[in-house]
């Protein structure tokens, strides 16, 4: 099941230890859907405890520093995440790009550091509403991919791309299934140009207001290999409905 649909929850800055019971419910529920790959990226503070308890889900970070160690107060490196039990890390989320000024080059450095540490990496890209309205969405995303994706012979094996239109994150608005399919085909072409044949194996997730009601439709769009889910990943009830919606795609 190399190409199982991949459903990843991004808990953002939410989750005290009391939320570990929700993670456990997600983990036990995910075990009933072996055709789907399920993961959660909790805040750094929960990575270790969640990873220790997980039996069916992967646990990852939401960001990492590009250096393995050093005088970077408040930052967390990829080797530290790995040591805490993480299996992957998200880099280049639009909130980090917008609120922390992360450039494509910075995102690529983080992605390469993650692979170097033995983590898989989810690289996020996506256009703003103004860029889509100006007809620049595919060009903007292609440029982000060019600048942000890690390079190297084996890089494609550790990379997942998440297409997250900025205007769809946390807004309840989603692109049409046709627009999602068109963007994912465009991303697939860029992956081929960067990684050659290996680009065909890179999973491309859709993210942005995915919920229990719209997941089935969005997951059926062209070249969609799964979903990166924010708000709807915070409860087992809604997240497992999305996982179940991905089930038939993995059979
Ligand atoms: C996200 O932040 O990655 C995300 C997709 O959020 P939401 O599902 O809440 O739109």
């Amino acid at each position: 099941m190399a190409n199982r649909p991949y459903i990843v929850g991004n808990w953002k800055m939410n989750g005290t230890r009391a939320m570990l019971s929700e993670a456990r419910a997600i983990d036990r529920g995910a075990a009933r859907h072996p055709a789907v790959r399920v993961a959660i990226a909790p805040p750094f503070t929960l990575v270790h405890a969640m990873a220790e308890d997980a039996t069916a889900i992967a646990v990852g970070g939401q960001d990492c520093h590009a250096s393995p160690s050093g005088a970077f107060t408040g930052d967390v490196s990829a080797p530290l995440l790995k040591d805490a039990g993480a299996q992957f890390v998200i880099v280049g989320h639009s909130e980090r790009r917008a609120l922390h000024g992360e450039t494509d080059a910075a995102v690529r450095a983080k992605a390469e550091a993650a692979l170097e540490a033995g983590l898989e990496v989810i690289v996020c890209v996506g256009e703003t509403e103004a860029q889509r309205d100006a007809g620049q969405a595919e060009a903007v995303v292609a440029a982000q991919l060019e600048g942000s994706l890690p390079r190297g012979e084996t890089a494609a094996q550790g990379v997942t791309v998440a297409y997250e239109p900025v205007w769809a994150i946390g807004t309840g608005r989603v692109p049409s299934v046709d627009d999602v399919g068109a963007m994912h085909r465009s991303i697939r072409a860029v992956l081929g140009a960067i990684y050659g044949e290996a680009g065909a194996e890179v999973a491309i997730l859709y993210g942005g207001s995915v919920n229990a009601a719209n997941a089935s439709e969005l997951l059926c769009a062209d070249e969609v290999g799964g979903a990166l889910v924010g708000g709807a990943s915070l409860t087992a009830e809604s997240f497992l409905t999305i996982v179940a919606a991905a089930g038939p795609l993995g059979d």
Side-chain angles (χ1 to χ4, degrees):
M1 282 193 276
N3 291 321
R4 285 185 295 166
Y6 190 16
I7 306 295
V8 183
N10 171 15
W11 279 16
K12 310 194 187 197
M13 200 169 69
N14 300 294
T16 58
R17 285 178 299 154
M19 282 281 285
L20 288 170
S21 58
E22 207 65 33
R24 173 174 287 209
I26 290 170
D27 181 66
R28 303 310 185 257
R32 295 195 297 273
H33 298 280
V36 184
R37 203 175 161 208
V38 183
I40 299 179
F44 289 132
T45 48
L46 294 186
V47 166
H48 185 250
M50 201 182 282
E52 288 272 286
D53 188 55
T55 60
I57 62 170
V59 177
Q62 301 171 11
D63 178 47
C64 66
H65 197 276
S67 296
S69 61
F72 301 104
T73 302
D75 282 314
V76 175
S77 72
L80 295 184
L81 271 173
K82 174 92 177 162
D83 181 61
Q87 289 168 254
F88 71 95
V89 62
I90 298 169
V91 297
H93 190 282
S94 62
E95 286 153 14
R96 301 232 31 114
R97 290 178 185 264
L99 303 174
H100 296 264
E102 291 189 6
T103 61
D104 289 335
V107 173
R108 175 174 167 176
K110 290 177 179 214
E112 289 177 347
L115 294 177
E116 181 68 30
L119 297 172
E120 291 185 27
V121 63
I122 299 175
V123 179
C124 300
V125 292
E127 82 285 358
T128 63
E129 185 159 33
Q131 289 163 336
R132 176 157 286 272
D133 289 347
Q136 298 167 344
E138 290 185 13
V140 165
V141 167
Q144 288 177 333
L145 291 167
E146 283 289 344
S148 308
L149 284 175
R151 303 303 206 273
E153 248 171 59
T154 56
Q157 290 158 25
V159 172
T160 295
V161 170
Y163 166 56
E164 300 205 302
V166 177
W167 51 272
I169 295 180
T171 60
R173 296 167 58 206
V174 290
S176 70
V177 171
D178 282 352
D179 283 349
V180 172
M183 180 61 85
H184 280 236
R185 285 194 298 277
S186 167
I187 291 172
R188 180 67 69 207
V190 177
L191 289 170
I194 293 175
Y195 293 127
E197 277 180 21
E201 299 303 317
V202 174
I204 310 171
L205 314 182
Y206 168 76
S209 294
V210 176
N211 59 38
N214 64 21
S216 298
E217 198 183 23
L218 289 164
L219 288 167
C220 285
D222 256 9
E223 296 287 357
V224 171
L228 180 53
V229 184
S233 69
L234 289 169
T235 67
E237 190 186 2
S238 56
F239 194 50
L240 289 173
T241 308
I242 296 168
V243 171
L249 306 173
D251 292 338

